[in-house]
Amino acid sequence: MTATINQAQGPAYTRIYAYGAARGENFVPNDDLVGPIDSSDEWIRQRTGIVTRVRADAGTTAIDLASAAALEAVERSGVDPKQVDAVIVATISNPKQTPSVSAIVADRIGANPAAAYDVNAACAGFAYAVAQADALIRGGAAHYAVVVGAEKLSDIVDPTDRSISFLLGDGAGAAVIGPSDTPGIAPTIWGSDGSKADVVGMNETLVDFRDGKAPWPTLRQEGPTVFRWAVWEMAKVARQALDAAGIQPSDLAAFIPHQANMRIIDEFAKQLKLPDTVAIARDIETTGNTSAASIPLAAHRLLEEHPELSGGLALQIGFGAGLVFGAQVVVLP
């Protein structure tokens, strides 16, 4: 007779317990950036909605930002860090290709020997990481997970690049996810379109930089193409996420999109026909575009400013380099 193996099985539902946040130490207004791109404060405000953005000190890394945000999230959650057995960090700005940011963060928050790995899905990274934490817990592979989106994009920006340089900021947002008696994280709608990988991403490789064939790699984008894709295709994804959750736009308490561009956010709201009762995250105005960190940073600020949103439903959607996207409805802690 063949022996039967054990297979893990976790709780039926999960939820977000708390958020944490860490932003770069310095506010950088538009006027500080317009010279190299031959632009103006008015032009940046009209095209992006950004008034200022936060950037970190030279000695602050994405690891430092991720650790600070994760610590706050764990403290607010009331979960003993020793009970955290999975740490997932979404980032494209690890200062080293290895070791992972997540392993260092796990150690710094007292979660050793938690499973730890990084996710590289650019601006969709946090939504991807939430989906994975939800699946790990419901599958019995983890009990509590810390999910972080962390970026120090100022290290990989060309100040003369008119397509993206003025958009980017530094920061980290984190969430603690654990078991729940009721549904707290709806199914994730995610995917990618690698055929358009050249539309937004790094302009060179580290190998070519090493060999003297290219300058230091930086982020760049084809702005109009990204704008059209985000506005039209991601609105469809957002509707799919609402359908998967079994709710209508009027059921939402908040809409928390990736903070890419204020015009994209406004167009999303129109296409989804969000009622005036839905609070819309607009953290980009003073934080900038922080890629994987933007959704948790925006959620953290929205709850700080509107604590009455706690317990309400929020639609969050991330999209970015590699034309990777992810969206889900969650119950706000």
Side-chain angles (χ1 to χ4, degrees):
M1 179 177 177
T2 303
T4 301
I5 63 172
N6 295 324
Q7 188 166 357
Q9 184 174 354
Y13 308 119
T14 64
R15 65 180 175 90
I16 296 173
Y17 284 43
Y19 287 107
R23 289 177 167 81
E25 298 92 340
N26 308 298
F27 285 97
V28 182
N30 294 335
D31 285 337
D32 287 3
L33 304 178
V34 296
I37 60 173
D38 189 24
S39 185
S40 67
D41 171 65
E42 181 182 11
W43 184 85
I44 293 175
R45 290 188 190 218
Q46 288 179 348
R47 293 185 65 84
T48 69
I50 298 174
V51 176
T52 185
R53 75 282 296 136
V54 290
R55 290 187 174 173
D57 289 341
T60 300
T61 68
I63 299 169
D64 299 324
L65 294 166
S67 300
L71 278 169
E72 182 188 2
V74 171
E75 289 172 359
R76 287 188 168 200
S77 73
V79 173
D80 186 334
K82 292 183 175 59
Q83 291 184 286
V84 173
D85 39 20
V87 176
I88 309 170
V89 176
T91 185
I92 60 170
S93 47
N94 185 350
K96 298 180 179 180
Q97 289 186 291
T98 192
S100 67
V101 174
S102 54
I104 299 171
V105 170
D107 178 60
R108 289 187 181 181
I109 67 174
N112 267 341
Y117 62 95
D118 292 353
V119 171
N120 183 336
C123 309
F126 184 76
Y128 267 49
V130 168
Q132 292 178 39
D134 166 57
L136 288 171
I137 294 168
R138 289 189 295 110
H143 296 92
Y144 295 94
V146 171
V147 171
V148 187
E151 304 288 10
K152 190 184 180 188
L153 301 178
S154 58
D155 283 343
I156 49 176
V157 63
D158 175 0
T160 68
D161 185 345
R162 192 179 174 88
S163 76
I164 201 169
S165 62
F166 54 89
L167 291 170
L168 305 177
D170 302 333
V176 174
I177 297 176
S180 175
D181 293 331
T182 56
I185 300 174
T188 296
I189 305 300
W190 55 356
S192 66
D193 183 0
S195 69
K196 297 182 178 66
D198 291 338
V199 169
V200 56
M202 302 301 287
N203 61 350
E204 305 290 352
T205 70
L206 287 172
V207 172
D208 283 345
F209 172 71
R210 179 200 64 192
D211 294 343
K213 297 178 181 178
W216 175 249
T218 57
L219 283 169
R220 41 76 59 201
Q221 69 172 349
E222 294 177 14
T225 303
V226 174
F227 185 91
R228 289 191 297 270
W229 172 76
V231 165
W232 300 112
E233 297 304 318
M234 293 305 97
K236 297 176 187 176
V237 171
R239 293 190 194 98
Q240 292 174 37
L242 291 172
D243 290 343
I247 66 168
Q248 300 297 318
S250 58
D251 296 319
L252 292 172
F255 177 47
I256 310 174
H258 165 48
Q259 303 292 292
N261 183 305
M262 195 74 80
R263 291 192 300 158
I264 292 175
I265 294 171
D266 290 340
E267 188 60 35
F268 268 161
K270 290 179 184 178
Q271 291 206 34
L272 294 174
K273 298 180 180 179
L274 297 180
D276 293 340
T277 54
V278 178
I280 300 175
R282 301 182 186 278
D283 191 45
I284 188 172
E285 183 178 19
T286 55
T287 300
N289 179 341
T290 54
S291 189
S294 76
I295 289 175
L297 280 175
H300 181 275
R301 173 161 283 169
L302 204 60
L303 285 169
E304 289 286 294
E305 296 176 349
H306 301 282
E308 70 276 8
L309 295 175
S310 177
L313 298 176
L315 168 61
Q316 57 187 29
I317 177 169
F319 48 90
L323 300 199
V324 175
F325 59 85
Q328 67 252 134
V329 174
V330 302
V331 176
L332 293 170

